[in-house]
Amino acid sequence: MKPFEPQPNPTELPRVFPNPLDEWEPPPIARRAVERLRLQLSAFDLSAGGKMFGVLVVRDRDGRVGSLQAFSGMLDGRWEVEGFVPPLFETGAWLAADAPGELQISRLFARAQEHLASPEWARLRDERAEQNTLHTAQRREQRQRHQARKAARQQRREGVRVDPALTEVARARALEALDNESRRDKAEKRGLEAEQQATLETLQARLKGFQRRARALERLRHFASRRLMRRLHDLYRVPNAAGASRPLRSLFPSGEPPSGAGDCCAPKLLAAAYRAGLIPVALAEFWAGPPPVAGGRIDGAFYPACRAKCAPLLPFMLEGLEVAAPRRFQIAPLEDRSLRVVYEDRWLVVIDKPEGLLSVPARDLPGGTLDLGRADSVWARLRLRHPEAQGPLLVHRLDLDTSGLLLAALDPATHRALQRQFLRREVEKRYLACLGGSVKGAQGTIDLPLRVDLEDRPRQIHDPVHGLRALTRWEVLSREEGLTRVALFPLTGRTHQLRVHAAHPLGLGAAILGDRLYGHPGPRLLLHAETLGFSHPHTGERLLLRSPAPF
């Protein structure tokens, strides 16, 4: 434990331990410990990639308060670094199990690479490419020859039909001979196709043999990796505040923890505190260094313990400790229960949604409830305003934290017609955002595929392989010291698209101010849907509606 000097006043300490899954910022005493740790991080080179770090404020049996420090995974290629708590396993036992296992996996990988790099494999692939090229040329030459013959036969047929010197019998024989020529061409085409198919099947059979061998080696490597991971996970002992301990794998329903489970900051810090007889007081985890390739983390921002790796461990680890319920990001209930209507007729409504109001009821609330105290949303308010309305109402959605124009339909036919306009990108949408930083350039287009972060829902991350395409056009409106005001034009409608495209280094590289998920929390998210243009499905009129940004 590294004691605080001077010691904090008892009133500065939380009454009960804040939940590690808490989405709010950590208490001041934990942020004080973070500031101490950040001063030490200059000794480590994080330029190649950032990392999660954590601090745990603790109290010893004499009442003195200090902090423990941790990093996720390894730091500078080491499991143990002076000044940081150790992992949940004995490093010597880990190395004894890991080294031979990694050697076996490396050998299997090398065998697979050697197999795929063999001259025979390359020769077969080249031969297949050459055969495909040859077969294409043969089919093209045959097709041209047959087309020329067909044209000549057509002329001869016309001649036979009008030749007055031919008897009916002679004319029939001549036409039959021409039909036989046509059949021979078709038979020749089928013969070439069969010959080519036989050649390719022989070649493909040899190629499949190589591919089967490569897949077998990959399966062996995967099996060896899983076996090694199970062996390594069996080295983890997870303690709790009540003095009990359990194997890591027993805390996961499947018995198969994800890679990296037990190596995050929260489990390491709690385990170290229990081993030393220290009482946990407050926890904070933060990211330091450049953001990861997928995005979703920025330097200096605080994050709750991860759900995929830590959430299964923490209930057991916190047994014997008085722990507060996790606080979720919730904006205070809105006093004004009305809807700010910008446009309304018997077919559709355009709402100016305030920041802090859900578009639809939260998933963990009873669907369809109109109890505004429990499920307040634009959808619920529309149901009260238009009880006769049918269909899903909302044509699109805005995040809880985003304000601005939102379109709803009052009948299924109107809803379908408006959704078609969205799908065809016929709807004009313009958002205003204030970014916390400087943006290079004056305008451009961001093309970053996105998907949900399976380990940290609802955050979205950039994934060029499995992500859905997300396009945003942008334009700088003004610049001030440390702030850029931009107009954003989403060309697709992915979840959190504008927020991720603003924060990601491959996007604008500057998070929207007040963005609690991709930047730093603030009084509100400075993102507003200010313009909405579409064609009225029934009148054909082009509507262009505006709502000035409230910031």
Side-chain angles (χ1 to χ4, degrees), residues 399-414:
D399 292 343
L400 169 73
D401 300 344
T402 304
S403 58
L405 298 177
L406 189 59
L407 176 60
L410 300 179
D411 62 81
T414 303

Side-chain angles (χ1 to χ4, degrees), residues 211-478:
Q211 292 167 337
R212 281 195 297 270
R213 174 65 173 164
R215 286 195 296 269
L217 289 170
E218 179 57 30
R219 284 195 298 270
L220 278 174
R221 188 167 72 95
H222 178 68
F223 175 77
S225 296
R226 288 186 61 185
R227 186 173 58 186
L228 172 62
M229 190 57 65
R230 285 195 294 268
R231 192 159 63 242
L232 294 175
H233 280 155
D234 285 339
L235 300 175
Y236 289 69
R237 296 298 300 181
V238 182
N240 67 14
S245 68
R246 286 177 59 180
L248 175 71
R249 289 206 289 134
S250 70
L251 296 172
F252 287 82
S254 67
E256 297 289 343
S259 177
D263 297 330
C264 296
C265 297
K268 291 166 73 171
L269 288 165
L270 290 170
Y274 299 150
R275 285 194 296 262
L278 302 171
I279 301 171
V281 174
L283 174 75
E285 294 185 80
F286 66 97
W287 182 268
V293 175
R297 297 285 186 270
I298 65 169
D299 183 59
F302 294 104
Y303 298 95
C306 63
R307 290 182 172 86
K309 301 175 185 177
C310 294
L313 305 179
L314 292 175
F316 172 75
M317 296 194 77
L318 296 173
E319 287 180 9
L321 192 66
E322 188 178 2
V323 182
R327 297 174 297 173
R328 303 300 186 196
F329 280 114
Q330 292 179 339
I331 297 175
L334 298 172
E335 296 298 328
D336 183 4
R337 298 288 190 178
S338 64
L339 282 173
R340 304 173 192 171
V341 177
V342 176
Y343 176 92
E344 185 174 28
D345 60 27
R346 62 192 180 96
W347 295 292
L348 57 88
V349 187
V350 177
I351 306 300
D352 188 359
K353 185 186 89 69
E355 168 263 346
L357 179 64
L358 289 166
S359 293
V360 296
R363 289 184 178 180
D364 57 351
L365 292 171
T369 178
L370 296 184
D371 180 358
L372 294 185
R374 301 178 64 201
D376 193 10
S377 64
V378 174
W379 180 90
R381 295 184 186 189
L382 277 172
R383 284 290 180 205
L384 290 176
R385 184 182 180 91
H386 294 279
E388 79 291 348
Q390 299 176 352
L393 294 180
L394 295 184
V395 182
H396 64 122
R397 300 181 185 182
L398 295 177
D399 292 343
L400 169 73
D401 300 344
T402 304
S403 58
L405 298 177
L406 189 59
L407 176 60
L410 300 179
D411 62 81
T414 303
H415 188 274
R416 288 192 297 270
L418 290 171
Q419 280 215 318
R420 281 196 295 270
Q421 293 188 45
F422 274 89
L423 292 173
R424 295 169 182 166
R425 299 183 184 177
E426 297 170 352
V427 177
E428 179 182 341
K429 294 177 289 181
R430 171 185 161 117
Y431 289 69
L432 185 72
C434 292
L435 311 185
S438 178
V439 173
K440 294 180 180 179
Q443 59 184 11
T445 300
I446 302 166
D447 184 356
L448 285 180
L450 303 176
R451 68 165 175 84
V452 68
D453 185 347
L454 299 176
E455 296 183 354
D456 194 15
R457 297 173 186 271
R459 283 186 174 85
Q460 307 291 309
I461 57 175
H462 168 50
D463 186 339
V465 177
H466 302 104
L468 297 174
R469 194 177 191 195
L471 290 170
T472 302
R473 188 165 60 84
W474 60 275
E475 177 185 337
V476 171
L477 302 177
S478 64

Side-chain angles (χ1 to χ4, degrees), residues 61-313:
R61 299 186 184 281
D62 298 326
R64 287 184 59 79
V65 177
S67 64
L68 303 174
Q69 302 173 164
F71 49 83
S72 64
M74 304 174 76
L75 181 61
D76 283 351
R78 292 176 288 167
W79 285 111
E80 297 193 42
V81 176
E82 186 177 357
F84 294 89
V85 301
L88 295 181
F89 52 81
E90 291 290 337
T91 308
W94 172 282
L95 294 175
D98 184 48
E102 282 293 340
L103 180 60
Q104 181 189 20
I105 293 168
S106 298
R107 285 174 174 168
L108 287 170
F109 179 75
R111 285 172 61 188
Q113 293 299 104
E114 180 183 358
H115 176 70
L116 294 176
S118 68
E120 178 66 10
W121 170 246
R123 188 184 66 76
L124 286 172
R125 284 183 298 166
D126 291 344
E127 187 176 341
R128 180 176 60 181
E130 291 170 1
Q131 287 293 334
N132 285 333
T133 302
L134 174 63
H135 291 175
T136 300
Q138 288 175 338
R139 289 193 300 270
R140 183 172 57 249
E141 186 275 333
Q142 186 189 69
R143 185 169 55 252
Q144 291 170 349
R145 187 170 67 251
H146 287 177
Q147 286 172 347
R149 289 179 183 174
K150 182 178 180 181
R153 284 195 300 271
Q154 188 62 30
Q155 288 182 346
R156 289 161 60 192
R157 280 193 180 92
E158 291 298 326
V160 167
R161 290 192 182 103
V162 300
D163 188 350
L166 293 175
T167 65
E168 287 302 319
V169 174
R171 182 176 289 110
R173 289 176 177 172
L175 291 174
E176 178 64 22
L178 290 171
D179 289 343
N180 287 335
E181 288 182 19
S182 178
R183 294 187 188 99
R184 282 195 295 272
D185 282 354
K186 291 179 181 178
E188 184 180 289
K189 179 184 177 183
R190 290 194 297 270
L192 178 62
E193 290 174 347
E195 179 185 340
Q196 290 182 346
Q197 183 66 24
T199 302
L200 288 177
E201 285 179 355
T202 301
L203 188 59
Q204 192 64 27
R206 295 161 67 191
L207 283 166
K208 284 182 178 178
F210 268 85
Q211 292 167 337
R212 281 195 297 270
R213 174 65 173 164
R215 286 195 296 269
L217 289 170
E218 179 57 30
R219 284 195 298 270
L220 278 174
R221 188 167 72 95
H222 178 68
F223 175 77
S225 296
R226 288 186 61 185
R227 186 173 58 186
L228 172 62
M229 190 57 65
R230 285 195 294 268
R231 192 159 63 242
L232 294 175
H233 280 155
D234 285 339
L235 300 175
Y236 289 69
R237 296 298 300 181
V238 182
N240 67 14
S245 68
R246 286 177 59 180
L248 175 71
R249 289 206 289 134
S250 70
L251 296 172
F252 287 82
S254 67
E256 297 289 343
S259 177
D263 297 330
C264 296
C265 297
K268 291 166 73 171
L269 288 165
L270 290 170
Y274 299 150
R275 285 194 296 262
L278 302 171
I279 301 171
V281 174
L283 174 75
E285 294 185 80
F286 66 97
W287 182 268
V293 175
R297 297 285 186 270
I298 65 169
D299 183 59
F302 294 104
Y303 298 95
C306 63
R307 290 182 172 86
K309 301 175 185 177
C310 294
L313 305 179

